[in-house]
Amino acid sequence: QPQWKSMLFALCFMHTIVQERRKFGPLGFNVPYEFNQSDLSASVQFMQNHLNDVETKKRPVDWTVVNYMVCEVQYGGGKTQDWGR
């Protein structure tokens, strides 16, 4: 699938930024959040499943669903403050 490499790169890039942001303490996040490899792995698994599903059904990628599941559920689900999302 042509989108896979771009999606994987963007996800890994976002994960790296989130990990680096933690190093700045209160300037990065007011509350210390624990983002780890399992967040990245779960997001990669979701994207693989989503791409397989849309390919089977001959539909385009639903970017709204991908954005919500990765940003709000995987990475935003553990946040307690709306400013961090």
Side-chain angles (χ1 to χ4, degrees):
Q1 295 147 344
Q3 304 96 330
W4 173 243
K5 286 183 183 180
S6 299
M7 290 172 72
L8 184 60
F9 176 81
L11 178 63
C12 291
F13 189 73
M14 182 189 78
H15 183 77
T16 301
I17 289 171
V18 169
Q19 293 291 66
E20 287 294 315
R21 187 176 169 190
R22 291 175 51 208
K23 292 181 181 178
F24 294 98
L27 295 175
F29 292 111
N30 288 333
V31 177
Y33 297 109
E34 291 299 322
F35 299 109
N36 54 38
Q37 187 65 32
S38 65
D39 297 311
L40 179 62
S41 298
S43 296
V44 168
Q45 184 65 47
F46 165 76
M47 290 192 324
Q48 287 174 329
N49 291 342
H50 184 69
L51 285 177
N52 289 338
D53 187 45
V54 298
E55 183 179 34
T56 302
K57 295 177 181 176
K58 305 285 189 231
R59 295 184 315 177
V61 173
D62 189 341
W63 295 107
T64 304
V65 169
V66 172
N67 183 47
Y68 179 78
M69 288 300 292
V70 172
C71 297
E72 295 294 327
V73 175
Q74 291 295 340
Y75 284 90
K79 293 185 167 237
T80 58
Q81 295 179 332
D82 287 335
W83 290 103
R85 290 190 175 147

